[in-house]
Coordinates of all heavy atoms in Angstrom, one line a residue:
M24 N 13.9 9.9 10.0 CA 15.0 10.7 10.0 C 14.7 12.2 10.3 O 15.3 12.8 11.1 CB 15.7 10.6 8.7 CG 17.0 11.4 8.5 SD 18.3 10.8 9.6 CE 19.6 11.6 9.0
L25 N 13.6 12.6 9.6 CA 13.1 14.0 9.9 C 12.8 14.2 11.3 O 13.1 15.3 11.9 CB 12.0 14.4 9.0 CG 11.4 15.8 9.1 CD1 12.5 16.8 8.8 CD2 10.2 15.9 8.2
N26 N 12.1 13.3 11.9 CA 11.7 13.4 13.3 C 12.9 13.6 14.2 O 12.9 14.4 15.1 CB 10.9 12.2 13.8 CG 9.4 12.3 13.4 OD1 9.0 13.3 12.8 ND2 8.7 11.3 13.7
K27 N 14.0 12.8 14.0 CA 15.2 12.9 14.8 C 15.8 14.2 14.6 O 16.3 14.8 15.6 CB 16.1 11.8 14.4 CG 15.7 10.4 14.8 CD 16.7 9.3 14.4 CE 16.2 8.0 14.9 NZ 17.1 6.9 14.5
N28 N 15.8 14.8 13.4 CA 16.4 16.1 13.1 C 15.7 17.2 13.8 O 16.2 18.1 14.4 CB 16.5 16.4 11.6 CG 17.5 15.5 10.9 OD1 18.4 15.0 11.6 ND2 17.4 15.4 9.6
I29 N 14.3 17.1 13.8 CA 13.5 18.2 14.4 C 13.7 18.1 15.9 O 13.8 19.1 16.6 CB 12.0 18.0 14.0 CG1 11.9 18.4 12.5 CG2 11.1 18.9 14.9 CD1 10.5 18.1 12.0
K30 N 13.7 16.8 16.5 CA 13.9 16.7 17.9 C 15.2 17.2 18.3 O 15.3 17.8 19.4 CB 13.7 15.2 18.3 CG 12.3 14.8 18.7 CD 12.3 13.5 19.3 CE 11.2 13.4 20.3 NZ 10.9 12.1 20.9
A31 N 16.3 16.9 17.6 CA 17.6 17.4 17.9 C 17.7 18.9 17.9 O 18.3 19.5 18.8 CB 18.6 16.8 16.9
L32 N 17.1 19.5 16.9 CA 17.0 21.0 16.9 C 16.3 21.5 18.1 O 16.7 22.5 18.7 CB 16.4 21.4 15.6 CG 16.2 22.9 15.4 CD1 17.6 23.6 15.4 CD2 15.5 23.2 14.1
R33 N 15.1 21.0 18.4 CA 14.3 21.4 19.5 C 15.1 21.3 20.8 O 15.1 22.1 21.7 CB 13.0 20.8 19.6 CG 12.1 21.2 18.5 CD 10.7 20.7 18.7 NE 10.1 21.4 19.8 CZ 8.8 21.7 19.9 NH1 8.0 21.3 19.0 NH2 8.4 22.4 20.9
K34 N 15.8 20.1 21.0 CA 16.5 19.9 22.2 C 17.7 20.9 22.3 O 17.9 21.4 23.4 CB 17.1 18.4 22.2 CG 17.7 18.0 23.5 CD 18.1 16.6 23.5 CE 18.6 16.2 24.9 NZ 18.9 14.8 25.0
A35 N 18.4 21.1 21.2 CA 19.5 22.1 21.2 C 19.0 23.4 21.6 O 19.8 24.2 22.3 CB 20.1 22.1 19.9
K36 N 17.8 23.8 21.3 CA 17.3 25.1 21.6 C 16.6 25.1 22.9 O 16.0 26.1 23.3 CB 16.4 25.6 20.5 CG 17.1 25.9 19.2 CD 16.2 26.5 18.2 CE 17.0 27.0 17.0 NZ 16.2 27.8 16.1
G37 N 16.6 24.0 23.6 CA 15.9 23.9 24.9 C 14.4 23.8 24.8 O 13.7 24.1 25.8
L38 N 13.8 23.5 23.7 CA 12.4 23.5 23.5 C 11.7 22.2 24.0 O 10.5 22.2 24.2 CB 12.0 23.7 22.0 CG 12.5 25.1 21.4 CD1 12.2 25.1 19.9 CD2 11.9 26.2 22.2
L39 N 12.5 21.1 24.1 CA 11.9 19.9 24.6 C 11.6 20.0 26.1 O 10.9 19.2 26.6 CB 12.7 18.7 24.3 CG 12.7 18.3 22.8 CD1 13.6 17.1 22.6 CD2 11.3 18.0 22.3
Q40 N 12.2 20.9 26.8 CA 11.9 21.0 28.2 C 10.9 22.1 28.5 O 10.8 22.6 29.6 CB 13.3 21.4 28.9 CG 14.2 20.2 29.0 CD 15.0 20.0 27.7 OE1 15.3 21.0 27.0 NE2 15.3 18.8 27.4
G41 N 10.1 22.4 27.6 CA 9.0 23.4 27.8 C 9.4 24.8 27.6 O 8.8 25.7 28.2
G42 N 10.3 25.1 26.7 CA 10.7 26.4 26.4 C 9.8 27.1 25.4 O 8.6 26.9 25.5
E43 N 10.3 27.9 24.6 CA 9.6 28.7 23.6 C 8.7 27.8 22.7 O 9.1 26.7 22.3 CB 10.5 29.4 22.7 CG 9.9 30.3 21.7 CD 10.9 31.0 20.8 OE1 12.1 31.1 21.2 OE2 10.5 31.4 19.7
K44 N 7.5 28.2 22.5 CA 6.5 27.4 21.7 C 6.9 27.5 20.2 O 7.5 28.5 19.8 CB 5.1 27.8 21.9 CG 4.7 29.2 21.3 CD 3.3 29.5 21.5 CE 2.9 30.7 20.8 NZ 2.6 30.6 19.4
M45 N 6.4 26.6 19.5 CA 6.6 26.6 18.0 C 5.3 26.7 17.3 O 4.2 26.4 17.9 CB 7.3 25.3 17.6 CG 8.6 25.0 18.2 SD 9.9 26.0 17.4 CE 10.0 25.2 15.8
N46 N 5.3 27.2 16.1 CA 4.1 27.2 15.2 C 4.4 26.1 14.1 O 5.4 26.1 13.5 CB 3.9 28.5 14.6 CG 3.5 29.6 15.6 OD1 2.8 29.3 16.5 ND2 4.0 30.8 15.4
Y47 N 3.4 25.3 13.9 CA 3.4 24.3 12.8 C 2.2 24.5 11.9 O 1.1 24.9 12.4 CB 3.4 22.9 13.4 CG 4.6 22.5 14.2 CD1 4.7 22.7 15.6 CD2 5.8 22.0 13.5 CE1 5.8 22.4 16.3 CE2 6.9 21.7 14.2 CZ 6.9 21.9 15.6 OH 8.1 21.6 16.3
Y48 N 2.4 24.1 10.7 CA 1.3 24.2 9.7 C 1.2 22.9 9.0 O 2.3 22.3 8.6 CB 1.6 25.3 8.6 CG 1.8 26.7 9.3 CD1 3.0 27.1 9.8 CD2 0.7 27.5 9.4 CE1 3.1 28.3 10.5 CE2 0.8 28.7 10.1 CZ 2.0 29.1 10.6 OH 2.2 30.3 11.2
I49 N 0.0 22.3 8.9 CA -0.1 21.0 8.3 C -1.4 20.8 7.6 O -2.4 21.6 7.8 CB -0.1 19.9 9.5 CG1 0.1 18.5 8.9 CG2 -1.3 20.0 10.4 CD1 0.6 17.5 10.0
A50 N -1.4 19.9 6.6 CA -2.6 19.7 5.8 C -2.6 18.2 5.3 O -1.6 17.6 5.2 CB -2.7 20.6 4.6
D51 N -3.8 17.7 5.1 CA -4.0 16.4 4.4 C -3.4 15.2 5.1 O -2.9 14.3 4.5 CB -3.4 16.5 3.0 CG -4.1 17.5 2.1 OD1 -5.3 17.6 2.2 OD2 -3.4 18.2 1.4
E52 N -3.6 15.2 6.4 CA -3.3 14.0 7.2 C -4.2 12.8 6.8 O -3.8 11.7 6.8 CB -3.3 14.2 8.7 CG -2.2 15.1 9.2 CD -0.8 14.4 9.1 OE1 -0.7 13.2 9.6 OE2 0.1 14.9 8.5
H53 N -5.5 13.1 6.7 CA -6.5 12.1 6.4 C -6.6 11.0 7.4 O -6.8 9.9 7.1 CB -6.3 11.5 5.0 CG -6.7 12.5 3.9 ND1 -7.9 12.3 3.2 CD2 -6.0 13.5 3.3 CE1 -7.9 13.3 2.2 NE2 -6.8 14.0 2.3
L54 N -6.6 11.4 8.7 CA -6.8 10.4 9.7 C -8.2 9.8 9.6 O -9.2 10.5 9.3 CB -6.7 11.1 11.1 CG -5.4 11.6 11.5 CD1 -5.5 12.5 12.7 CD2 -4.4 10.5 11.8
G55 N -8.3 8.5 9.7 CA -9.5 7.8 9.6 C -10.0 7.4 8.2 O -11.0 6.8 8.0
H56 N -9.2 7.8 7.2 CA -9.6 7.6 5.8 C -8.9 6.4 5.3 O -7.8 6.4 4.8 CB -9.2 8.9 5.0 CG -9.7 8.9 3.6 ND1 -9.2 9.8 2.7 CD2 -10.5 8.1 2.9 CE1 -9.8 9.6 1.5 NE2 -10.6 8.5 1.7
A57 N -9.6 5.3 5.3 CA -9.0 4.0 4.8 C -8.6 4.0 3.4 O -7.5 3.5 3.0 CB -10.1 2.9 5.0
N58 N -9.3 4.7 2.5 CA -9.0 4.7 1.1 C -7.8 5.5 0.7 O -7.1 5.3 -0.3 CB -10.2 5.2 0.2 CG -11.2 4.1 0.1 OD1 -11.0 2.9 0.2 ND2 -12.5 4.5 -0.2
I59 N -7.3 6.4 1.6 CA -6.1 7.2 1.3 C -4.9 6.3 1.3 O -3.9 6.6 0.6 CB -6.0 8.3 2.4 CG1 -5.1 9.4 1.8 CG2 -5.4 7.9 3.7 CD1 -5.7 10.2 0.6
I60 N -4.9 5.2 2.0 CA -3.8 4.2 1.9 C -3.5 3.8 0.5 O -2.4 3.8 0.0 CB -4.1 3.0 2.9 CG1 -4.1 3.5 4.3 CG2 -3.0 2.0 2.7 CD1 -4.7 2.5 5.3
R61 N -4.6 3.4 -0.2 CA -4.5 3.0 -1.6 C -4.2 4.1 -2.5 O -3.4 4.1 -3.4 CB -5.7 2.2 -2.0 CG -5.7 1.7 -3.4 CD -7.0 1.0 -3.7 NE -8.2 1.7 -3.4 CZ -8.8 2.6 -4.1 NH1 -8.2 3.0 -5.3 NH2 -9.9 3.2 -3.7
L62 N -5.0 5.2 -2.3 CA -5.0 6.3 -3.3 C -3.6 7.1 -3.2 O -3.2 7.6 -4.3 CB -6.1 7.3 -2.9 CG -7.5 6.8 -3.1 CD1 -8.5 7.8 -2.5 CD2 -7.8 6.6 -4.6
S63 N -3.0 7.1 -2.1 CA -1.7 7.8 -1.9 C -0.5 6.9 -1.7 O 0.6 7.3 -1.4 CB -1.8 8.8 -0.8 OG -2.7 9.8 -1.0
H64 N -0.8 5.6 -1.9 CA 0.3 4.6 -1.7 C 1.0 4.7 -0.4 O 2.2 4.7 -0.3 CB 1.3 4.7 -2.9 CG 0.7 4.7 -4.2 ND1 0.1 3.5 -4.8 CD2 0.4 5.7 -5.1 CE1 -0.4 3.8 -6.0 NE2 -0.2 5.1 -6.2
R65 N 0.2 4.9 0.7 CA 0.8 5.0 2.0 C 1.2 3.6 2.5 O 0.5 2.6 2.2 CB -0.2 5.6 3.0 CG -0.4 7.1 2.7 CD -1.3 7.7 3.8 NE -1.5 9.1 3.5 CZ -2.1 9.9 4.4 NH1 -2.6 9.5 5.5 NH2 -2.2 11.2 4.1
P66 N 2.3 3.4 3.2 CA 2.8 2.1 3.6 C 2.2 1.5 4.8 O 2.8 1.1 5.7 CB 4.3 2.4 3.8 CG 4.2 3.8 4.4 CD 3.1 4.5 3.7
F67 N 0.8 1.4 4.7 CA 0.1 0.8 5.9 C -0.8 -0.3 5.3 O -1.4 -0.2 4.2 CB -0.7 1.8 6.6 CG 0.2 3.0 7.1 CD1 0.2 4.2 6.5 CD2 1.0 2.8 8.2 CE1 1.0 5.2 6.9 CE2 1.8 3.8 8.7 CZ 1.8 5.1 8.0
N68 N -1.1 -1.3 6.2 CA -2.0 -2.4 5.8 C -3.4 -2.0 6.2 O -4.4 -2.6 5.6 CB -1.6 -3.7 6.5 CG -0.3 -4.2 6.0 OD1 0.0 -4.1 4.8 ND2 0.5 -4.8 6.8
D69 N -3.6 -1.1 7.2 CA -5.0 -0.8 7.6 C -5.0 0.6 8.2 O -4.0 1.2 8.6 CB -5.5 -1.8 8.6 CG -4.7 -1.9 9.8 OD1 -4.7 -1.0 10.7 OD2 -3.9 -2.9 10.0
V70 N -6.2 1.1 8.3 CA -6.4 2.5 8.8 C -6.0 2.7 10.2 O -5.5 3.7 10.6 CB -7.8 3.0 8.5 CG1 -8.8 2.3 9.4 CG2 -7.9 4.5 8.6
D71 N -6.2 1.7 11.1 CA -5.9 1.8 12.5 C -4.4 1.9 12.7 O -3.9 2.7 13.5 CB -6.4 0.6 13.3 CG -7.9 0.6 13.4 OD1 -8.5 1.7 13.4 OD2 -8.5 -0.5 13.5
T72 N -3.6 1.2 11.9 CA -2.1 1.2 12.0 C -1.7 2.6 11.5 O -0.8 3.2 12.1 CB -1.5 0.1 11.2 OG1 -1.9 -1.1 11.6 CG2 0.0 0.2 11.2
M73 N -2.3 3.1 10.4 CA -1.9 4.4 9.8 C -2.2 5.5 10.9 O -1.4 6.3 11.1 CB -2.7 4.7 8.6 CG -2.4 6.0 8.0 SD -3.4 6.5 6.5 CE -5.0 6.8 7.3
D74 N -3.4 5.5 11.4 CA -3.8 6.5 12.4 C -2.8 6.5 13.6 O -2.4 7.5 14.0 CB -5.2 6.2 12.9 CG -6.3 6.6 11.9 OD1 -5.9 7.2 10.8 OD2 -7.4 6.2 12.1
K75 N -2.5 5.3 14.1 CA -1.6 5.2 15.3 C -0.3 5.8 15.0 O 0.3 6.5 15.8 CB -1.5 3.8 15.8 CG -0.6 3.7 17.0 CD -0.5 2.3 17.6 CE 0.4 2.1 18.8 NZ 1.2 3.2 19.2
T76 N 0.3 5.4 13.8 CA 1.6 5.9 13.4 C 1.6 7.4 13.2 O 2.5 8.1 13.7 CB 2.0 5.3 12.1 OG1 2.0 3.8 12.3 CG2 3.4 5.7 11.6
L77 N 0.6 8.0 12.6 CA 0.5 9.4 12.4 C 0.4 10.2 13.7 O 1.0 11.2 13.9 CB -0.6 9.8 11.4 CG -0.5 9.3 10.0 CD1 -1.7 9.6 9.2 CD2 0.7 10.0 9.3
I78 N -0.5 9.7 14.6 CA -0.7 10.3 15.9 C 0.6 10.2 16.7 O 1.0 11.2 17.3 CB -1.9 9.7 16.6 CG1 -3.2 10.1 15.9 CG2 -1.9 10.1 18.1 CD1 -4.4 9.3 16.3
D79 N 1.3 9.1 16.7 CA 2.5 8.9 17.4 C 3.6 9.8 16.9 O 4.4 10.5 17.7 CB 3.0 7.5 17.4 CG 2.2 6.5 18.2 OD1 1.4 7.0 19.0 OD2 2.4 5.3 18.0
N80 N 3.7 10.0 15.6 CA 4.7 10.9 15.0 C 4.4 12.3 15.3 O 5.3 13.1 15.6 CB 4.7 10.7 13.4 CG 5.4 9.4 13.0 OD1 6.0 8.7 13.8 ND2 5.2 9.0 11.8
W81 N 3.1 12.7 15.2 CA 2.7 14.1 15.6 C 3.1 14.3 17.0 O 3.8 15.4 17.3 CB 1.2 14.1 15.5 CG 0.5 15.4 15.9 CD1 0.5 15.9 17.2 CD2 -0.3 16.3 15.1 NE1 -0.2 17.1 17.2 CE2 -0.8 17.3 16.0 CE3 -0.7 16.3 13.8 CZ2 -1.6 18.3 15.5 CZ3 -1.5 17.3 13.3 CH2 -1.9 18.3 14.2
N82 N 2.8 13.5 18.0 CA 3.0 13.7 19.4 C 4.5 13.6 19.7 O 4.9 14.0 20.8 CB 2.2 12.7 20.2 CG 0.7 13.1 20.2 OD1 0.4 14.3 20.0 ND2 -0.1 12.1 20.4
S83 N 5.3 13.0 18.9 CA 6.8 12.9 19.2 C 7.5 14.3 18.9 O 8.6 14.5 19.4 CB 7.4 11.8 18.3 OG 7.5 12.2 17.0
I84 N 6.8 15.1 18.1 CA 7.3 16.4 17.8 C 6.6 17.6 18.5 O 7.2 18.5 19.0 CB 7.3 16.6 16.2 CG1 8.1 15.6 15.5 CG2 7.8 18.0 15.9 CD1 9.6 15.6 15.9
I85 N 5.3 17.6 18.4 CA 4.5 18.7 18.9 C 4.4 18.6 20.4 O 4.2 17.5 21.0 CB 3.1 18.6 18.3 CG1 3.1 18.5 16.8 CG2 2.2 19.7 18.8 CD1 3.7 19.7 16.1
T86 N 4.5 19.7 21.1 CA 4.3 19.8 22.5 C 2.9 20.4 22.8 O 2.3 21.0 21.9 CB 5.4 20.6 23.2 OG1 5.2 22.0 22.9 CG2 6.8 20.2 22.8
D87 N 2.5 20.3 24.0 CA 1.2 20.9 24.4 C 1.2 22.4 24.3 O 0.1 23.0 24.1 CB 0.8 20.5 25.8 CG 0.5 19.1 26.0 OD1 0.0 18.5 25.0 OD2 0.7 18.5 27.1
D88 N 2.4 23.1 24.3 CA 2.4 24.5 24.1 C 2.5 25.0 22.7 O 2.4 26.2 22.5 CB 3.7 25.0 24.9 CG 3.5 24.8 26.4 OD1 2.4 24.9 26.9 OD2 4.6 24.6 27.1
D89 N 2.7 24.1 21.8 CA 2.9 24.5 20.4 C 1.5 24.8 19.7 O 0.5 24.3 20.1 CB 3.5 23.4 19.6 CG 4.9 23.1 19.9 OD1 5.6 24.1 20.4 OD2 5.4 22.0 19.8
D90 N 1.5 25.7 18.8 CA 0.3 26.0 18.0 C 0.4 25.2 16.6 O 1.5 25.3 16.0 CB 0.2 27.5 17.7 CG -0.2 28.3 18.9 OD1 -1.3 28.0 19.4 OD2 0.5 29.2 19.3
V91 N -0.7 24.5 16.3 CA -0.7 23.8 15.0 C -1.8 24.3 14.2 O -3.0 24.3 14.6 CB -0.9 22.3 15.3 CG1 -0.8 21.5 14.0 CG2 0.2 21.7 16.3
Y92 N -1.5 24.9 13.0 CA -2.5 25.4 12.1 C -2.8 24.3 11.1 O -2.0 23.9 10.3 CB -2.0 26.7 11.5 CG -1.8 27.8 12.5 CD1 -0.6 27.9 13.2 CD2 -2.8 28.6 12.8 CE1 -0.4 28.9 14.1 CE2 -2.7 29.6 13.8 CZ -1.5 29.7 14.4 OH -1.3 30.7 15.4
I93 N -4.1 23.8 11.2 CA -4.5 22.7 10.3 C -5.2 23.3 9.1 O -6.3 23.9 9.2 CB -5.4 21.8 11.1 CG1 -4.6 21.2 12.3 CG2 -5.9 20.7 10.2 CD1 -5.4 20.6 13.3
L94 N -4.6 23.2 7.9 CA -5.1 23.9 6.7 C -6.2 23.1 6.0 O -6.8 23.6 5.1 CB -3.9 24.1 5.8 CG -2.8 24.9 6.5 CD1 -1.6 25.1 5.5 CD2 -3.2 26.2 7.0
G95 N -6.3 21.8 6.3 CA -7.4 21.1 5.7 C -7.2 19.6 5.8 O -6.1 19.1 5.9
D96 N -8.3 18.8 5.7 CA -8.3 17.4 5.7 C -7.5 16.7 6.7 O -6.8 15.7 6.4 CB -7.9 16.9 4.3 CG -8.9 17.3 3.2 OD1 -10.0 17.6 3.5 OD2 -8.5 17.2 2.0
L97 N -7.6 17.1 7.9 CA -6.9 16.4 9.0 C -7.6 15.1 9.3 O -6.9 14.1 9.4 CB -6.9 17.2 10.3 CG -6.3 16.5 11.6 CD1 -4.8 16.4 11.4 CD2 -6.7 17.3 12.8
I98 N -8.9 15.1 9.3 CA -9.7 13.9 9.5 C -10.7 13.8 8.4 O -11.3 14.8 8.0 CB -10.4 14.0 10.9 CG1 -9.4 14.3 12.0 CG2 -11.3 12.8 11.1 CD1 -10.1 14.9 13.3
F99 N -10.7 12.6 7.8 CA -11.5 12.5 6.6 C -12.2 11.1 6.5 O -11.6 10.1 6.7 CB -10.6 12.7 5.3 CG -11.4 12.9 4.1 CD1 -11.9 14.1 3.8 CD2 -11.5 11.9 3.1 CE1 -12.6 14.4 2.6 CE2 -12.1 12.1 1.9 CZ -12.7 13.3 1.7
K100 N -13.5 11.1 6.3 CA -14.3 9.9 6.1 C -14.1 8.9 7.2 O -13.9 7.7 7.0 CB -14.0 9.3 4.8 CG -14.5 10.1 3.6 CD -14.6 9.4 2.3 CE -15.2 10.2 1.3 NZ -15.7 9.5 0.2
T101 N -14.1 9.4 8.5 CA -14.0 8.5 9.6 C -15.3 8.1 10.2 O -16.3 8.8 10.1 CB -13.1 9.1 10.7 OG1 -12.9 8.1 11.7 CG2 -13.7 10.4 11.2
T102 N -15.3 6.9 10.8 CA -16.5 6.5 11.6 C -16.4 6.8 13.1 O -17.3 6.6 13.8 CB -16.8 5.0 11.3 OG1 -15.7 4.3 11.8 CG2 -17.0 4.7 9.9
K103 N -15.2 7.2 13.5 CA -14.9 7.4 14.9 C -15.2 8.7 15.5 O -15.2 8.9 16.7 CB -13.4 7.1 15.2 CG -13.0 5.6 14.9 CD -11.6 5.4 15.2 CE -11.3 3.9 14.8 NZ -9.9 3.6 15.0
G104 N -15.4 9.7 14.7 CA -15.7 11.1 15.2 C -14.5 11.9 15.4 O -13.4 11.4 15.6
Y105 N -14.6 13.2 15.2 CA -13.5 14.1 15.3 C -12.8 14.1 16.6 O -11.6 14.2 16.7 CB -13.9 15.5 14.8 CG -14.4 15.5 13.4 CD1 -15.7 15.6 13.0 CD2 -13.4 15.4 12.4 CE1 -16.1 15.6 11.7 CE2 -13.8 15.5 11.0 CZ -15.1 15.5 10.7 OH -15.5 15.5 9.4
D106 N -13.6 14.1 17.7 CA -13.1 14.2 19.0 C -12.1 13.1 19.4 O -11.2 13.2 20.1 CB -14.2 14.3 20.1 CG -14.8 15.7 20.2 OD1 -14.2 16.6 19.7 OD2 -15.9 15.8 20.8
Y107 N -12.4 11.9 18.8 CA -11.6 10.7 19.0 C -10.1 11.1 18.6 O -9.2 10.7 19.3 CB -12.1 9.5 18.2 CG -11.1 8.4 18.2 CD1 -11.1 7.4 19.2 CD2 -10.2 8.2 17.1 CE1 -10.3 6.4 19.2 CE2 -9.4 7.1 17.1 CZ -9.4 6.2 18.2 OH -8.5 5.1 18.2
Y108 N -9.9 11.8 17.5 CA -8.6 12.1 17.1 C -8.1 13.4 17.7 O -6.9 13.4 18.2 CB -8.6 12.3 15.6 CG -8.9 11.0 14.8 CD1 -10.2 10.8 14.3 CD2 -8.0 10.0 14.6 CE1 -10.5 9.6 13.6 CE2 -8.2 8.9 14.0 CZ -9.5 8.7 13.5 OH -9.8 7.5 12.8
L109 N -8.9 14.4 17.8 CA -8.4 15.7 18.3 C -7.9 15.6 19.8 O -6.9 16.2 20.2 CB -9.5 16.7 18.2 CG -9.8 17.1 16.8 CD1 -11.0 18.1 16.8 CD2 -8.6 17.8 16.1
K110 N -8.5 14.7 20.6 CA -8.1 14.6 22.0 C -6.8 13.9 22.1 O -6.1 14.0 23.1 CB -9.2 13.8 22.7 CG -10.4 14.6 23.0 CD -11.5 13.8 23.8 CE -12.7 14.5 24.0 NZ -13.8 13.8 24.7
Q111 N -6.4 13.1 21.1 CA -5.1 12.4 21.1 C -3.9 13.2 20.7 O -2.8 12.9 21.0 CB -5.2 11.1 20.3 CG -6.2 10.1 20.8 CD -6.1 8.9 19.9 OE1 -5.1 8.2 19.8 NE2 -7.2 8.7 19.2
L112 N -4.2 14.3 19.9 CA -3.1 15.1 19.3 C -2.7 16.2 20.3 O -3.5 17.0 20.7 CB -3.6 15.7 18.0 CG -3.9 14.6 16.9 CD1 -4.6 15.3 15.8 CD2 -2.7 13.9 16.5
K113 N -1.4 16.3 20.5 CA -0.8 17.4 21.3 C -0.9 18.7 20.6 O -1.1 18.8 19.3 CB 0.6 17.1 21.6 CG 0.8 16.0 22.6 CD 2.3 15.9 22.9 CE 2.6 14.7 23.8 NZ 4.1 14.6 24.0
G114 N -0.8 19.8 21.3 CA -0.7 21.2 20.7 C -2.1 21.9 20.8 O -3.1 21.2 21.0
R115 N -2.0 23.2 20.6 CA -3.2 24.0 20.4 C -3.6 24.0 18.9 O -2.8 24.5 18.1 CB -3.0 25.4 21.0 CG -2.8 25.4 22.5 CD -2.7 26.8 23.0 NE -1.6 27.6 22.4 CZ -0.5 27.8 23.1 NH1 -0.3 27.3 24.3 NH2 0.5 28.4 22.5
K116 N -4.6 23.3 18.6 CA -5.0 23.1 17.2 C -5.9 24.2 16.7 O -6.9 24.6 17.4 CB -5.7 21.8 17.1 CG -4.7 20.6 17.4 CD -5.3 19.3 17.6 CE -5.9 19.2 19.0 NZ -5.1 19.1 20.1
H117 N -5.6 24.8 15.6 CA -6.4 25.9 15.0 C -6.9 25.3 13.7 O -6.1 25.0 12.7 CB -5.5 27.1 14.7 CG -4.8 27.6 15.9 ND1 -5.5 28.5 16.8 CD2 -3.6 27.4 16.5 CE1 -4.6 28.8 17.8 NE2 -3.5 28.1 17.6
L118 N -8.2 25.1 13.7 CA -8.9 24.5 12.5 C -9.3 25.6 11.5 O -9.7 26.7 11.8 CB -10.0 23.7 12.9 CG -9.7 22.6 13.9 CD1 -11.0 21.9 14.4 CD2 -8.8 21.5 13.3

């Protein structure tokens, strides 16, 4: 529901067609962290499904022109490496 509301707002302001950039602030995504599913009661059966969902949700809102300020724990305890995730995420990422 939130994604639809954000998309509707961006569309209404002409931002989905490459207009004015947005600033986003995010923390604690924990991409690649299998135990976060259990610890935070996330609704996923495995880390790959969680990662794909989080990346898809991110990319459905963030555009390549947006700035994303990552406040911490974007990627945590992964065996895939940071570049694996960072290359898939849209936006200019500020770590």
Side-chain angles (χ1 to χ4, degrees):
M24 181 69 166
L25 180 60
N26 280 357
K27 288 181 182 178
N28 291 340
I29 293 171
K30 268 193 147 168
L32 178 62
R33 290 189 73 150
K34 187 173 185 178
K36 292 187 172 191
L38 299 175
L39 287 179
Q40 288 80 35
E43 181 181 338
K44 75 176 182 80
M45 299 284 290
N46 292 325
Y47 292 94
Y48 302 85
I49 192 162
D51 299 318
E52 288 291 308
H53 285 258
L54 293 166
H56 187 190
N58 284 335
I59 201 68
I60 295 168
R61 178 180 51 81
L62 296 170
S63 296
H64 308 287
R65 291 187 179 186
F67 303 104
N68 292 323
D69 59 74
V70 71
D71 291 330
T72 303
M73 178 185 73
D74 288 348
K75 181 177 179 351
T76 301
L77 293 174
I78 291 167
D79 288 348
N80 287 346
W81 174 301
N82 289 335
S83 73
I84 300 298
I85 306 298
T86 70
D87 288 332
D88 294 328
D89 293 333
D90 286 302
V91 183
Y92 295 88
I93 301 164
L94 305 179
D96 293 343
L97 176 69
I98 303 160
F99 193 78
K100 293 197 175 201
T101 181
T102 60
K103 294 182 180 176
Y105 296 105
D106 282 345
Y107 172 82
Y108 295 101
L109 292 173
K110 288 180 182 178
Q111 294 182 65
L112 296 169
K113 290 182 182 178
R115 291 188 299 260
K116 295 162 284 293
H117 304 275
L118 303 172

